[in-house]
Amino acid sequence: MIYSSMFQWMSVNGQDLAVASASATVSAAFPAGTTSIRVVSTVGVYIEIALGSSAAAGTGGYLPANVIEHLPAGNSNRLSAIRAGAAGLLNSKPCSD
């Protein structure tokens, strides 16, 4: 288990992503200094973290509803997600070590 006290929140705001049936991508790249992101969703989603505007598919990593995860990510990466069931909201927050 990863505890949030091991990470420093960056001074930028998190991003909310409405997760619908079509794949959606966070519009902004993660800022310089990002080493990981904290993600949580109100519904189960499949997610992808990549450079550029990659689109998540049903084969991406599965994030269950209401589970907080810390995932490795670098600056200029983007997060994309597609819902596994109902529509919901995915929140991401960049972190640094």
Side-chain angles (χ1 to χ4, degrees):
M1 176 176 274
I2 297 176
Y3 296 98
S4 62
S5 62
M6 297 170 60
F7 300 93
Q8 293 179 347
W9 301 124
M10 298 185 69
S11 61
V12 297
N13 293 330
Q15 298 182 46
D16 288 326
L17 177 63
V19 184
S21 59
S23 182
T25 302
V26 171
S27 60
F30 301 130
T34 299
T35 57
S36 64
I37 59 168
R38 182 195 57 84
V39 291
V40 63
S41 179
T42 60
V43 296
V45 294
Y46 294 97
I47 59 174
E48 301 259 347
I49 299 171
L51 289 171
S53 57
S54 71
T59 57
Y62 181 71
L63 178 67
N66 302 314
V67 172
I68 298 170
E69 284 286 348
H70 284 90
L71 303 170
N75 57 305
S76 300
N77 283 169
R78 295 175 188 262
L79 175 69
S80 63
I82 189 167
R83 70 184 189 182
L89 188 67
L90 173 69
N91 177 268
S92 65
K93 178 74 174 167
C95 305
S96 63
D97 292 337

